Amino acid sequence: MGCNGEKGPRTDLRAVRTHRAIQNAYRTLVIRDGLDKVTITALANEADIDRKTFYLHYASLDEVAEERKSAMIERIVNTLVEGKGPDGIDVNLRAVATELADILQEDPEFFRCVLGKISVDSLVEALYDPVRNAIIENSPRAAAADRLGADYLIRFMLSGTIAVALQWFLADPDTPIDEIADHIQAITDRIHLT
């Protein structure tokens, strides 16, 4: 019960454990067998559940992958919103690149398997609406800005930031991401978009 005597939402611990087992099995199979070879049967076997149980939690393998992607997008959007100033969001490419690098470093084996199968464009498309909505919701100036110009600027920033973070992760992870982000920020600070 809550502080006021009302019952709060009940969490079914079995469902939470099964959900976690499915996600862990998905990760294991992607690393071991490759993204294209994951099947619901293999996932159910790895998670030690039956196919019916899988379908109680997810409609498809795409939904399992989408959940992982959504969690990543939410973290990046939260990084933007946390960096908002008095006039709304001040898009800090350094913070976004650093957060993306943190996400990739949390599970490098998994992301090395997955990133070879997806394009920067698909990541930009996945991030575009949530980032744009966060900027508009938290920045009165952005809401009043030229829509076409803002749309292109958001895509430009996302494409560049994602491309740099992926290049760093796949080819140069020994260089501190802060050093790379500082270089990017210095270059973008010199660009005048007027």
Side-chain angles (χ1 to χ4, degrees):
M1 288 200 187
C3 294
N4 59 4
E6 295 176 11
K7 290 184 179 180
R10 187 167 171 245
T11 302
D12 182 350
L13 295 178
R14 284 181 314 194
V16 171
R17 280 192 295 270
T18 302
H19 190 81
R20 188 176 305 126
I22 292 169
Q23 283 291 334
N24 289 338
Y26 179 75
R27 178 196 177 277
T28 298
L29 291 173
V30 166
I31 292 168
R32 186 180 70 210
D33 302 336
L35 188 61
D36 298 336
K37 298 214 168 128
V38 177
T39 65
I40 292 173
T41 300
L43 194 145
N45 289 336
E46 184 70 30
D48 199 23
I49 60 172
D50 59 31
R51 287 174 56 94
K52 286 187 231 173
T53 301
F54 172 85
Y55 285 113
L56 288 172
H57 293 269
Y58 296 97
S60 67
L61 287 173
D62 289 340
E63 200 172 286
V64 176
E66 184 63 33
E67 184 176 288
R68 292 180 77 91
K69 183 171 74 173
S70 294
M72 183 176 80
I73 290 168
E74 184 177 332
R75 282 182 59 182
I76 292 169
V77 169
N78 287 340
T79 299
L80 286 170
V81 173
E82 287 169 5
K84 81 177 192 177
D87 294 329
I89 291 178
D90 178 20
V91 177
N92 181 333
L93 296 179
R94 184 180 200 283
V96 174
T98 302
E99 182 65 21
L100 186 52
D102 288 348
I103 292 167
L104 296 173
Q105 286 178 318
E106 286 171 8
D107 196 354
E109 266 187 303
F110 175 79
F111 285 112
R112 285 191 202 294
C113 294
V114 171
L115 292 175
K117 303 286 184 187
I118 56 178
S119 68
V120 170
D121 290 341
S122 67
L123 290 172
V124 169
E125 286 308 311
L127 279 164
Y128 175 76
D129 283 334
V131 167
R132 185 179 187 289
N133 292 340
I135 290 171
I136 288 173
E137 285 175 23
N138 292 283
S139 177
R141 289 185 305 170
D146 169 35
R147 163 103 189 203
L148 182 62
D151 288 349
Y152 279 110
L153 184 58
I154 292 167
R155 287 183 189 284
F156 170 76
M157 291 182 334
L158 286 173
S159 296
T161 303
I162 291 168
V164 166
L166 295 182
Q167 174 66 24
W168 164 82
F169 177 71
L170 296 172
D172 192 20
D174 293 333
T175 301
I177 190 65
D178 290 339
E179 184 179 319
I180 294 168
D182 286 343
H183 286 297
I184 295 167
Q185 193 68 50
I187 291 167
T188 56
D189 286 347
R190 290 191 299 242
I191 296 173
H192 298 287
L193 299 175
T194 56

